[in-house]
Amino acid sequence: MKQTFRLVIDCPDQIGLVASVSQFLADHGATIVEASHHTDLQTGRFFMRHEIGTEHLSLDYNAFVSAFTPLANEYQMQWKLSDSTQRQRVALLGSIESHCLVDILHRWHTGELYCDIPCVISNHPQLKEFADWYQVPFHWIDFKTLGKEQAFAQIRTLLQEYDIDLTVLARFMQILPQSLCRELEGRAINIHHSFLPSFAGARPYQQAYDRGVKLIGATCHYVTQDLDEGPIIEQSVKRISHSDSAPDMVRKGKDCEVTALAHGVRYHLEDRVLIHHNKTVVFA
Amino acid sequence: MKQTFRLVIDCPDQIGLVASVSQFLADHGATIVEASHHTDLQTGRFFMRHEIGTEHLSLDYNAFVSAFTPLANEYQMQWKLSDSTQRQRVALLGSIESHCLVDILHRWHTGELYCDIPCVISNHPQLKEFADWYQVPFHWIDFKTLGKEQAFAQIRTLLQEYDIDLTVLARFMQILPQSLCRELEGRAINIHHSFLPSFAGARPYQQAYDRGVKLIGATCHYVTQDLDEGPIIEQSVKRISHSDSAPDMVRKGKDCEVTALAHGVRYHLEDRVLIHHNKTVVFA
Amino acid sequence: MKQTFRLVIDCPDQIGLVASVSQFLADHGATIVEASHHTDLQTGRFFMRHEIGTEHLSLDYNAFVSAFTPLANEYQMQWKLSDSTQRQRVALLGSIESHCLVDILHRWHTGELYCDIPCVISNHPQLKEFADWYQVPFHWIDFKTLGKEQAFAQIRTLLQEYDIDLTVLARFMQILPQSLCRELEGRAINIHHSFLPSFAGARPYQQAYDRGVKLIGATCHYVTQDLDEGPIIEQSVKRISHSDSAPDMVRKGKDCEVTALAHGVRYHLEDRVLIHHNKTVVFA
Amino acid sequence: MKQTFRLVIDCPDQIGLVASVSQFLADHGATIVEASHHTDLQTGRFFMRHEIGTEHLSLDYNAFVSAFTPLANEYQMQWKLSDSTQRQRVALLGSIESHCLVDILHRWHTGELYCDIPCVISNHPQLKEFADWYQVPFHWIDFKTLGKEQAFAQIRTLLQEYDIDLTVLARFMQILPQSLCRELEGRAINIHHSFLPSFAGARPYQQAYDRGVKLIGATCHYVTQDLDEGPIIEQSVKRISHSDSAPDMVRKGKDCEVTALAHGVRYHLEDRVLIHHNKTVVFA
């Protein structure tokens, strides 16, 4: 992987802002591989992502951060600089369904998803075989024996011990406690098996079947304290008909889930997602 | 248009049913242009639609109905036979937005939708120019002056006078009274500008914008007494992103509305839709 | 319509380029409504589009052009500045099929497409009724009587007399002569009723039917001297099955054609399309 | 899996045909789980698939075949009866790219694809790790050492020894010899990484990139002696833009390939595909 720096900025819109940032980049020899801007006209908020080639850059990572900080302060930026060669550490949380988990593992294994996956955590033991094969440590947290509070305490400990950057709920069927939601804010991604906000909550395919919709879907979103209400990163849909039973819908929906989750995780890992209140800007 | 008869059946599933119907058809020289079956495995209900070529048919419409009735009774069928050359009479109800109304009128004008459109009814006068051009009588029902009750009384009268078979709400922004919903049950089609059940009710595009969804849509459904809850015939979606403002979403959504409504109306006119509780079987 | 200026740039990529342009904009009080960049990494070519709010801009159109020219020359830019309130003049060319033509006229009539449509030209008289209703002068060019050369000479004259900026071939079934293709380069848009490069040439739906594809489509592209080979602006597809006859495919394909053409024309009118060799950059 | 029999029929259309088949089914206590018909109006050919519940069926498989044969002969049917509980034996052929192969293995492992996979065959050794994990014997056929003729002779032998019903080319990058194509006719499925007939042959993503299309796709089709010309079972597309490099298109296209191949294989395994000249009838 060729090294790039990703400069991601979120600040009040202001004349001269882009000029100042661009001048800073030019002054230090940055080639711009990709640049994306968005102004939220309702709130006057400005979002910008630069992917910067480092071949001719006169600053290393730390020097860049130091040099850029005054400018960032001047424009009241929330910002970050990330180095594309630094792999984020991703924990996968699963339950029994394997399709999303295996898909993420496979995309990681083939290099499509650039990250480390130091652990798989599950409230059921069945997924161990997959984790084993990909040589990822597997932790079965036995919710029945431990009780919910203890179980989540163990998960929190694991996330800390493994120094996890991003937690991916790959059809993890337990509701995270509020405190953990807060801790992981902006760093935990869930896949919900419906086209939210339709069919939030339990058994979305059955709900979809009962309502007789003609398209089913899946939603990849950040976890927040409000269940199934977090900022949406990606959604995917598929056409169905009266001839699809609820199990058919489950089968078809899985393809939506896999795709939406894989996209969402990749966008996050590549610093393409900016959260703004309860919505996202995705520089896809 | 080549004449066909459409035999549409809804009855309890039973061994021998298809054989009996098929034998009846064969005995009277029916060629089968199109045949569709569906069994609802949950309720044991059976749905069948035959499109029958009449070239070699030994029965005319009335004779067919007479001859088939004993069989229909034996199997407790809800059924109908329709003649493809008989145009249904369709009333269009609109308000101000012209895209759905003009699209239906144009598809009718070019023969894509095979029906008569004897009138356009609206609670605003603006759409008159379109109705005039297509030489369809236009009725402006002034809700402000008349009040809701009187206004709907006039609409009901018009639907009766024009002997309307199907009422199409082409972005008609008034909520039909319960009694009229009941009267028109299974004979009134609405287009809702969201991917139902998401964003039912008012201002769905604003709701979608506020929630930050990544796809918007439209839903064509039968009108029932529960607003936006009727059986869904067709849905259509389109991808959006953070860069779409609420007005952009309105513009993009219109293409979904037009497509979903045109499909829904055509399916209905061709007797392809069977209503089953709050869902539809659509033999598309 | 709120006035914006659209600054569209195509030049060799170079460090400092964005900074210089951004600084120029900031120096003259430009607010940036929308900014899009693209670097073609293969050719080192850079593409940029700014949509600029003019409320606080210290330059009017002519002053902007004068002031920006030195910078443009320094960076060897191909560029243009357009004023969003200046309507481009669009000629519609049709034959017999009305769906694309009527759709463009309706979007123009409702203000969705911001342009003038001073004339409709056709090699058949049938579309006159639509042009009349929208009060657009209609010119029937009788190819049979005139012969191809004379007929196209008349069309060229009309395009000149009406001072046309953009020529839209809305299912115009005549092949433009090479000389006219050259004259209209980058200013003539065609809709081809297949998913190019599949099924170029005549009777694409029949070709698609014969090949047994499972999706059909339409392609909106710039007209070039190589028939159906010009830069593609937009494509649209729709699922079909064995049960669709060739006429069914025609019907379904029309919805693709209408959508793809409407998008392509809008992108062009909003200066969102940059042609690069035989491809397009579309800042949608 | 609940047992069903699948009766698949392909014969000249004739009045009385459906009645006779239906009567036969009713006479022997068949419940009809799913019934699909299609008449090709151009050729007068009739296609029919019944999925028959066996609970009340008075015939076992062999008795059904014997009893049905006279009727089949009378109507000149090409037909087959298959037992849903009999797993077809599927060989996977791969090269280096793992996405399609692993996806099929995973769907088989989880029971979504009901079949046996007794072997994976590849012209490269890299995929062995995946086959091993799924405990499927892996055969590396070293084309370089053996030469093409010898290599394919070994593959043919393996297919015979393993008694293979269906050969799936999961991004197998060798062109099958004509003789093998003939042998496997209707029993070998390929995934081509373009939206055929566009971009047949080598490097389709590069071709798509060079042409500047706005959608890429994948095509699942039966292998025939004419490369990339066989009957199409399923196609899948995905939107792209100027900002997608050829490698981006490869990545996005993989999702199309996986989906189209998985659908195509499932349709085949469930006897939903009927080949008619160079096209398919897919009772999806």
PDB file of all heavy atoms in Angstrom, chain B residues 98 106-107 109-110 129-130 133 238 251 255 263 266, chain C residues 98 106-107 109 129-130 133 238 251 255 263 266:
ATOM      1  N   SER B  98     -47.469  18.176 -10.917  1.00  0.00           N
ATOM      2  CA  SER B  98     -47.973  17.650 -12.183  1.00  0.00           C
ATOM      3  C   SER B  98     -47.286  16.365 -12.652  1.00  0.00           C
ATOM      4  O   SER B  98     -47.775  15.707 -13.558  1.00  0.00           O
ATOM      5  CB  SER B  98     -47.803  18.712 -13.269  1.00  0.00           C
ATOM      6  OG  SER B  98     -46.431  19.038 -13.422  1.00  0.00           O
ATOM      7  N   HIS B 106     -49.781  10.816 -20.335  1.00  0.00           N
ATOM      8  CA  HIS B 106     -48.967  10.550 -21.522  1.00  0.00           C
ATOM      9  C   HIS B 106     -48.929   9.059 -21.853  1.00  0.00           C
ATOM     10  O   HIS B 106     -49.025   8.663 -23.019  1.00  0.00           O
ATOM     11  CB  HIS B 106     -47.541  11.095 -21.340  1.00  0.00           C
ATOM     12  CG  HIS B 106     -46.712  10.940 -22.576  1.00  0.00           C
ATOM     13  ND1 HIS B 106     -45.728   9.993 -22.698  1.00  0.00           N
ATOM     14  CD2 HIS B 106     -46.757  11.587 -23.765  1.00  0.00           C
ATOM     15  CE1 HIS B 106     -45.197  10.071 -23.904  1.00  0.00           C
ATOM     16  NE2 HIS B 106     -45.782  11.035 -24.567  1.00  0.00           N
ATOM     17  N   ARG B 107     -48.837   8.225 -20.835  1.00  0.00           N
ATOM     18  CA  ARG B 107     -48.823   6.780 -21.098  1.00  0.00           C
ATOM     19  C   ARG B 107     -50.189   6.310 -21.641  1.00  0.00           C
ATOM     20  O   ARG B 107     -50.256   5.363 -22.416  1.00  0.00           O
ATOM     21  CB  ARG B 107     -48.467   5.999 -19.818  1.00  0.00           C
ATOM     22  CG  ARG B 107     -47.013   6.177 -19.401  1.00  0.00           C
ATOM     23  CD  ARG B 107     -46.683   5.372 -18.137  1.00  0.00           C
ATOM     24  NE  ARG B 107     -45.516   5.900 -17.477  1.00  0.00           N
ATOM     25  CZ  ARG B 107     -44.285   5.350 -17.538  1.00  0.00           C
ATOM     26  NH1 ARG B 107     -44.089   4.254 -18.209  1.00  0.00           N
ATOM     27  NH2 ARG B 107     -43.267   5.910 -16.901  1.00  0.00           N
ATOM     28  N   HIS B 109     -52.214   8.365 -23.405  1.00  0.00           N
ATOM     29  CA  HIS B 109     -52.287   8.978 -24.735  1.00  0.00           C
ATOM     30  C   HIS B 109     -51.534   8.139 -25.771  1.00  0.00           C
ATOM     31  O   HIS B 109     -51.971   8.009 -26.917  1.00  0.00           O
ATOM     32  CB  HIS B 109     -51.690  10.386 -24.649  1.00  0.00           C
ATOM     33  CG  HIS B 109     -51.704  11.160 -25.921  1.00  0.00           C
ATOM     34  ND1 HIS B 109     -52.823  11.733 -26.431  1.00  0.00           N
ATOM     35  CD2 HIS B 109     -50.693  11.468 -26.789  1.00  0.00           C
ATOM     36  CE1 HIS B 109     -52.531  12.364 -27.558  1.00  0.00           C
ATOM     37  NE2 HIS B 109     -51.240  12.215 -27.801  1.00  0.00           N
ATOM     38  N   THR B 110     -50.401   7.580 -25.386  1.00  0.00           N
ATOM     39  CA  THR B 110     -49.607   6.788 -26.332  1.00  0.00           C
ATOM     40  C   THR B 110     -50.052   5.330 -26.372  1.00  0.00           C
ATOM     41  O   THR B 110     -49.487   4.531 -27.112  1.00  0.00           O
ATOM     42  CB  THR B 110     -48.115   6.813 -25.957  1.00  0.00           C
ATOM     43  OG1 THR B 110     -47.963   6.275 -24.630  1.00  0.00           O
ATOM     44  CG2 THR B 110     -47.546   8.216 -26.011  1.00  0.00           C
ATOM     45  N   GLU B 129     -54.470  23.021 -17.336  1.00  0.00           N
ATOM     46  CA  GLU B 129     -53.816  23.138 -18.649  1.00  0.00           C
ATOM     47  C   GLU B 129     -53.425  21.774 -19.213  1.00  0.00           C
ATOM     48  O   GLU B 129     -53.535  21.525 -20.411  1.00  0.00           O
ATOM     49  CB  GLU B 129     -52.587  24.053 -18.570  1.00  0.00           C
ATOM     50  CG  GLU B 129     -51.563  23.621 -17.539  1.00  0.00           C
ATOM     51  CD  GLU B 129     -50.226  24.389 -17.650  1.00  0.00           C
ATOM     52  OE1 GLU B 129     -50.021  25.148 -18.609  1.00  0.00           O
ATOM     53  OE2 GLU B 129     -49.376  24.205 -16.740  1.00  0.00           O
ATOM     54  N   PHE B 130     -52.990  20.874 -18.339  1.00  0.00           N
ATOM     55  CA  PHE B 130     -52.601  19.542 -18.813  1.00  0.00           C
ATOM     56  C   PHE B 130     -53.828  18.733 -19.238  1.00  0.00           C
ATOM     57  O   PHE B 130     -53.830  18.065 -20.265  1.00  0.00           O
ATOM     58  CB  PHE B 130     -51.815  18.799 -17.730  1.00  0.00           C
ATOM     59  CG  PHE B 130     -50.522  19.454 -17.363  1.00  0.00           C
ATOM     60  CD1 PHE B 130     -50.392  20.194 -16.201  1.00  0.00           C
ATOM     61  CD2 PHE B 130     -49.427  19.351 -18.217  1.00  0.00           C
ATOM     62  CE1 PHE B 130     -49.195  20.806 -15.873  1.00  0.00           C
ATOM     63  CE2 PHE B 130     -48.226  19.965 -17.896  1.00  0.00           C
ATOM     64  CZ  PHE B 130     -48.108  20.698 -16.715  1.00  0.00           C
ATOM     65  N   TRP B 133     -55.130  19.903 -22.560  1.00  0.00           N
ATOM     66  CA  TRP B 133     -54.378  19.502 -23.743  1.00  0.00           C
ATOM     67  C   TRP B 133     -54.703  18.065 -24.123  1.00  0.00           C
ATOM     68  O   TRP B 133     -54.821  17.727 -25.297  1.00  0.00           O
ATOM     69  CB  TRP B 133     -52.874  19.661 -23.511  1.00  0.00           C
ATOM     70  CG  TRP B 133     -52.154  19.373 -24.789  1.00  0.00           C
ATOM     71  CD1 TRP B 133     -52.028  20.198 -25.860  1.00  0.00           C
ATOM     72  CD2 TRP B 133     -51.541  18.148 -25.142  1.00  0.00           C
ATOM     73  NE1 TRP B 133     -51.358  19.570 -26.862  1.00  0.00           N
ATOM     74  CE2 TRP B 133     -51.040  18.318 -26.458  1.00  0.00           C
ATOM     75  CE3 TRP B 133     -51.350  16.937 -24.477  1.00  0.00           C
ATOM     76  CZ2 TRP B 133     -50.356  17.302 -27.119  1.00  0.00           C
ATOM     77  CZ3 TRP B 133     -50.681  15.931 -25.137  1.00  0.00           C
ATOM     78  CH2 TRP B 133     -50.189  16.110 -26.454  1.00  0.00           C
ATOM     79  N   LYS B 238     -34.159   5.052  -4.937  1.00  0.00           N
ATOM     80  CA  LYS B 238     -33.073   5.736  -5.633  1.00  0.00           C
ATOM     81  C   LYS B 238     -32.018   6.124  -4.594  1.00  0.00           C
ATOM     82  O   LYS B 238     -32.367   6.555  -3.509  1.00  0.00           O
ATOM     83  CB  LYS B 238     -33.640   7.006  -6.255  1.00  0.00           C
ATOM     84  CG  LYS B 238     -33.114   7.325  -7.631  1.00  0.00           C
ATOM     85  CD  LYS B 238     -33.773   8.574  -8.160  1.00  0.00           C
ATOM     86  CE  LYS B 238     -32.912   9.177  -9.230  1.00  0.00           C
ATOM     87  NZ  LYS B 238     -33.087   8.551 -10.537  1.00  0.00           N
ATOM     88  N   ARG B 251     -36.733  16.291  -6.060  1.00  0.00           N
ATOM     89  CA  ARG B 251     -36.526  16.117  -7.505  1.00  0.00           C
ATOM     90  C   ARG B 251     -36.227  14.660  -7.846  1.00  0.00           C
ATOM     91  O   ARG B 251     -36.835  14.085  -8.742  1.00  0.00           O
ATOM     92  CB  ARG B 251     -35.380  17.019  -7.970  1.00  0.00           C
ATOM     93  CG  ARG B 251     -35.038  16.855  -9.443  1.00  0.00           C
ATOM     94  CD  ARG B 251     -33.998  17.860  -9.923  1.00  0.00           C
ATOM     95  NE  ARG B 251     -32.811  17.922  -9.102  1.00  0.00           N
ATOM     96  CZ  ARG B 251     -31.853  16.991  -9.061  1.00  0.00           C
ATOM     97  NH1 ARG B 251     -31.957  15.903  -9.795  1.00  0.00           N
ATOM     98  NH2 ARG B 251     -30.798  17.140  -8.285  1.00  0.00           N
ATOM     99  N   ASP B 255     -38.920  10.881  -9.774  1.00  0.00           N
ATOM    100  CA  ASP B 255     -38.722   9.788 -10.736  1.00  0.00           C
ATOM    101  C   ASP B 255     -39.179   8.451 -10.149  1.00  0.00           C
ATOM    102  O   ASP B 255     -39.699   7.601 -10.875  1.00  0.00           O
ATOM    103  CB  ASP B 255     -37.251   9.709 -11.172  1.00  0.00           C
ATOM    104  CG  ASP B 255     -36.847  10.895 -12.049  1.00  0.00           C
ATOM    105  OD1 ASP B 255     -37.739  11.551 -12.607  1.00  0.00           O
ATOM    106  OD2 ASP B 255     -35.638  11.161 -12.166  1.00  0.00           O
ATOM    107  N   HIS B 263     -46.333   1.723 -12.868  1.00  0.00           N
ATOM    108  CA  HIS B 263     -46.351   0.260 -12.761  1.00  0.00           C
ATOM    109  C   HIS B 263     -47.605  -0.220 -12.042  1.00  0.00           C
ATOM    110  O   HIS B 263     -48.273  -1.147 -12.483  1.00  0.00           O
ATOM    111  CB  HIS B 263     -45.118  -0.235 -12.000  1.00  0.00           C
ATOM    112  CG  HIS B 263     -43.895  -0.355 -12.834  1.00  0.00           C
ATOM    113  ND1 HIS B 263     -43.142   0.734 -13.211  1.00  0.00           N
ATOM    114  CD2 HIS B 263     -43.289  -1.428 -13.406  1.00  0.00           C
ATOM    115  CE1 HIS B 263     -42.127   0.333 -13.957  1.00  0.00           C
ATOM    116  NE2 HIS B 263     -42.192  -0.972 -14.092  1.00  0.00           N
ATOM    117  N   ARG B 266     -50.719   0.095 -14.160  1.00  0.00           N
ATOM    118  CA  ARG B 266     -50.747  -0.895 -15.248  1.00  0.00           C
ATOM    119  C   ARG B 266     -51.062  -2.299 -14.709  1.00  0.00           C
ATOM    120  O   ARG B 266     -51.885  -3.018 -15.275  1.00  0.00           O
ATOM    121  CB  ARG B 266     -49.432  -0.898 -16.019  1.00  0.00           C
ATOM    122  CG  ARG B 266     -49.513  -1.706 -17.332  1.00  0.00           C
ATOM    123  CD  ARG B 266     -48.297  -1.510 -18.208  1.00  0.00           C
ATOM    124  NE  ARG B 266     -47.098  -1.893 -17.525  1.00  0.00           N
ATOM    125  CZ  ARG B 266     -46.703  -3.165 -17.369  1.00  0.00           C
ATOM    126  NH1 ARG B 266     -47.414  -4.148 -17.860  1.00  0.00           N
ATOM    127  NH2 ARG B 266     -45.598  -3.444 -16.714  1.00  0.00           N
TER     128      ARG B 266
ATOM    129  N   SER C  98     -42.442   9.663 -28.638  1.00  0.00           N
ATOM    130  CA  SER C  98     -42.627  10.920 -27.916  1.00  0.00           C
ATOM    131  C   SER C  98     -42.092  10.916 -26.492  1.00  0.00           C
ATOM    132  O   SER C  98     -41.968  11.970 -25.879  1.00  0.00           O
ATOM    133  CB  SER C  98     -44.117  11.255 -27.878  1.00  0.00           C
ATOM    134  OG  SER C  98     -44.834  10.235 -27.200  1.00  0.00           O
ATOM    135  N   HIS C 106     -41.579  18.538 -20.351  1.00  0.00           N
ATOM    136  CA  HIS C 106     -42.271  18.688 -19.074  1.00  0.00           C
ATOM    137  C   HIS C 106     -41.319  19.133 -17.965  1.00  0.00           C
ATOM    138  O   HIS C 106     -41.661  19.995 -17.146  1.00  0.00           O
ATOM    139  CB  HIS C 106     -42.981  17.382 -18.683  1.00  0.00           C
ATOM    140  CG  HIS C 106     -43.798  17.527 -17.434  1.00  0.00           C
ATOM    141  ND1 HIS C 106     -43.394  17.027 -16.222  1.00  0.00           N
ATOM    142  CD2 HIS C 106     -44.970  18.172 -17.211  1.00  0.00           C
ATOM    143  CE1 HIS C 106     -44.291  17.330 -15.306  1.00  0.00           C
ATOM    144  NE2 HIS C 106     -45.267  18.006 -15.876  1.00  0.00           N
ATOM    145  N   ARG C 107     -40.122  18.593 -17.957  1.00  0.00           N
ATOM    146  CA  ARG C 107     -39.155  19.013 -16.928  1.00  0.00           C
ATOM    147  C   ARG C 107     -38.745  20.478 -17.136  1.00  0.00           C
ATOM    148  O   ARG C 107     -38.426  21.187 -16.180  1.00  0.00           O
ATOM    149  CB  ARG C 107     -37.911  18.108 -16.951  1.00  0.00           C
ATOM    150  CG  ARG C 107     -38.209  16.696 -16.444  1.00  0.00           C
ATOM    151  CD  ARG C 107     -36.957  15.805 -16.462  1.00  0.00           C
ATOM    152  NE  ARG C 107     -37.309  14.393 -16.466  1.00  0.00           N
ATOM    153  CZ  ARG C 107     -37.255  13.599 -15.379  1.00  0.00           C
ATOM    154  NH1 ARG C 107     -36.834  14.058 -14.242  1.00  0.00           N
ATOM    155  NH2 ARG C 107     -37.608  12.327 -15.463  1.00  0.00           N
ATOM    156  N   HIS C 109     -40.777  22.727 -18.594  1.00  0.00           N
ATOM    157  CA  HIS C 109     -41.995  23.490 -18.290  1.00  0.00           C
ATOM    158  C   HIS C 109     -42.142  23.701 -16.779  1.00  0.00           C
ATOM    159  O   HIS C 109     -42.579  24.764 -16.330  1.00  0.00           O
ATOM    160  CB  HIS C 109     -43.196  22.718 -18.847  1.00  0.00           C
ATOM    161  CG  HIS C 109     -44.521  23.369 -18.634  1.00  0.00           C
ATOM    162  ND1 HIS C 109     -44.937  24.456 -19.355  1.00  0.00           N
ATOM    163  CD2 HIS C 109     -45.544  23.079 -17.783  1.00  0.00           C
ATOM    164  CE1 HIS C 109     -46.146  24.821 -18.963  1.00  0.00           C
ATOM    165  NE2 HIS C 109     -46.540  24.005 -18.016  1.00  0.00           N
ATOM    166  N   GLU C 129     -47.951  18.110 -32.137  1.00  0.00           N
ATOM    167  CA  GLU C 129     -48.979  18.390 -31.121  1.00  0.00           C
ATOM    168  C   GLU C 129     -48.362  18.690 -29.753  1.00  0.00           C
ATOM    169  O   GLU C 129     -48.830  19.549 -29.024  1.00  0.00           O
ATOM    170  CB  GLU C 129     -49.984  17.224 -31.012  1.00  0.00           C
ATOM    171  CG  GLU C 129     -49.335  15.883 -30.723  1.00  0.00           C
ATOM    172  CD  GLU C 129     -50.368  14.777 -30.382  1.00  0.00           C
ATOM    173  OE1 GLU C 129     -51.553  15.072 -30.190  1.00  0.00           O
ATOM    174  OE2 GLU C 129     -49.925  13.608 -30.278  1.00  0.00           O
ATOM    175  N   PHE C 130     -47.280  17.973 -29.429  1.00  0.00           N
ATOM    176  CA  PHE C 130     -46.636  18.204 -28.127  1.00  0.00           C
ATOM    177  C   PHE C 130     -45.927  19.562 -28.111  1.00  0.00           C
ATOM    178  O   PHE C 130     -46.006  20.316 -27.144  1.00  0.00           O
ATOM    179  CB  PHE C 130     -45.651  17.083 -27.807  1.00  0.00           C
ATOM    180  CG  PHE C 130     -46.298  15.744 -27.659  1.00  0.00           C
ATOM    181  CD1 PHE C 130     -46.230  14.789 -28.665  1.00  0.00           C
ATOM    182  CD2 PHE C 130     -47.017  15.429 -26.507  1.00  0.00           C
ATOM    183  CE1 PHE C 130     -46.847  13.559 -28.536  1.00  0.00           C
ATOM    184  CE2 PHE C 130     -47.624  14.192 -26.355  1.00  0.00           C
ATOM    185  CZ  PHE C 130     -47.548  13.255 -27.378  1.00  0.00           C
ATOM    186  N   TRP C 133     -48.384  22.379 -27.774  1.00  0.00           N
ATOM    187  CA  TRP C 133     -48.949  22.593 -26.463  1.00  0.00           C
ATOM    188  C   TRP C 133     -47.981  23.337 -25.545  1.00  0.00           C
ATOM    189  O   TRP C 133     -48.374  24.208 -24.777  1.00  0.00           O
ATOM    190  CB  TRP C 133     -49.365  21.270 -25.815  1.00  0.00           C
ATOM    191  CG  TRP C 133     -50.082  21.551 -24.539  1.00  0.00           C
ATOM    192  CD1 TRP C 133     -51.354  21.986 -24.410  1.00  0.00           C
ATOM    193  CD2 TRP C 133     -49.527  21.498 -23.235  1.00  0.00           C
ATOM    194  NE1 TRP C 133     -51.650  22.197 -23.103  1.00  0.00           N
ATOM    195  CE2 TRP C 133     -50.547  21.909 -22.359  1.00  0.00           C
ATOM    196  CE3 TRP C 133     -48.291  21.144 -22.730  1.00  0.00           C
ATOM    197  CZ2 TRP C 133     -50.352  21.975 -20.989  1.00  0.00           C
ATOM    198  CZ3 TRP C 133     -48.082  21.204 -21.376  1.00  0.00           C
ATOM    199  CH2 TRP C 133     -49.105  21.619 -20.510  1.00  0.00           C
ATOM    200  N   LYS C 238     -32.527  -1.841 -16.182  1.00  0.00           N
ATOM    201  CA  LYS C 238     -33.755  -2.382 -15.601  1.00  0.00           C
ATOM    202  C   LYS C 238     -33.737  -3.892 -15.800  1.00  0.00           C
ATOM    203  O   LYS C 238     -33.341  -4.379 -16.843  1.00  0.00           O
ATOM    204  CB  LYS C 238     -34.929  -1.791 -16.378  1.00  0.00           C
ATOM    205  CG  LYS C 238     -36.107  -1.414 -15.528  1.00  0.00           C
ATOM    206  CD  LYS C 238     -37.195  -0.827 -16.379  1.00  0.00           C
ATOM    207  CE  LYS C 238     -38.505  -0.957 -15.665  1.00  0.00           C
ATOM    208  NZ  LYS C 238     -38.764   0.117 -14.731  1.00  0.00           N
ATOM    209  N   ARG C 251     -41.109  -1.256 -23.955  1.00  0.00           N
ATOM    210  CA  ARG C 251     -41.859  -0.499 -22.945  1.00  0.00           C
ATOM    211  C   ARG C 251     -41.022  -0.237 -21.703  1.00  0.00           C
ATOM    212  O   ARG C 251     -40.932   0.884 -21.205  1.00  0.00           O
ATOM    213  CB  ARG C 251     -43.148  -1.262 -22.571  1.00  0.00           C
ATOM    214  CG  ARG C 251     -43.954  -0.597 -21.482  1.00  0.00           C
ATOM    215  CD  ARG C 251     -45.282  -1.281 -21.235  1.00  0.00           C
ATOM    216  NE  ARG C 251     -45.195  -2.714 -21.026  1.00  0.00           N
ATOM    217  CZ  ARG C 251     -44.708  -3.299 -19.924  1.00  0.00           C
ATOM    218  NH1 ARG C 251     -44.279  -2.555 -18.926  1.00  0.00           N
ATOM    219  NH2 ARG C 251     -44.674  -4.618 -19.827  1.00  0.00           N
ATOM    220  N   ASP C 255     -38.506   3.715 -19.871  1.00  0.00           N
ATOM    221  CA  ASP C 255     -38.284   4.348 -18.573  1.00  0.00           C
ATOM    222  C   ASP C 255     -36.786   4.588 -18.339  1.00  0.00           C
ATOM    223  O   ASP C 255     -36.399   5.580 -17.723  1.00  0.00           O
ATOM    224  CB  ASP C 255     -38.865   3.491 -17.440  1.00  0.00           C
ATOM    225  CG  ASP C 255     -40.394   3.495 -17.461  1.00  0.00           C
ATOM    226  OD1 ASP C 255     -40.983   4.396 -18.078  1.00  0.00           O
ATOM    227  OD2 ASP C 255     -40.993   2.589 -16.869  1.00  0.00           O
ATOM    228  N   HIS C 263     -31.209  12.987 -16.880  1.00  0.00           N
ATOM    229  CA  HIS C 263     -30.010  13.205 -16.060  1.00  0.00           C
ATOM    230  C   HIS C 263     -28.889  13.819 -16.893  1.00  0.00           C
ATOM    231  O   HIS C 263     -28.241  14.779 -16.474  1.00  0.00           O
ATOM    232  CB  HIS C 263     -29.523  11.886 -15.459  1.00  0.00           C
ATOM    233  CG  HIS C 263     -30.246  11.492 -14.231  1.00  0.00           C
ATOM    234  ND1 HIS C 263     -31.500  10.935 -14.253  1.00  0.00           N
ATOM    235  CD2 HIS C 263     -29.905  11.562 -12.915  1.00  0.00           C
ATOM    236  CE1 HIS C 263     -31.884  10.679 -13.009  1.00  0.00           C
ATOM    237  NE2 HIS C 263     -30.941  11.051 -12.184  1.00  0.00           N
ATOM    238  N   ARG C 266     -29.491  17.463 -17.722  1.00  0.00           N
ATOM    239  CA  ARG C 266     -29.352  18.332 -16.547  1.00  0.00           C
ATOM    240  C   ARG C 266     -27.881  18.508 -16.162  1.00  0.00           C
ATOM    241  O   ARG C 266     -27.424  19.613 -15.879  1.00  0.00           O
ATOM    242  CB  ARG C 266     -30.153  17.786 -15.359  1.00  0.00           C
ATOM    243  CG  ARG C 266     -30.272  18.810 -14.219  1.00  0.00           C
ATOM    244  CD  ARG C 266     -31.245  18.365 -13.146  1.00  0.00           C
ATOM    245  NE  ARG C 266     -30.879  17.089 -12.583  1.00  0.00           N
ATOM    246  CZ  ARG C 266     -29.909  16.931 -11.677  1.00  0.00           C
ATOM    247  NH1 ARG C 266     -29.239  17.973 -11.217  1.00  0.00           N
ATOM    248  NH2 ARG C 266     -29.632  15.730 -11.226  1.00  0.00           N
TER     249      ARG C 266
END
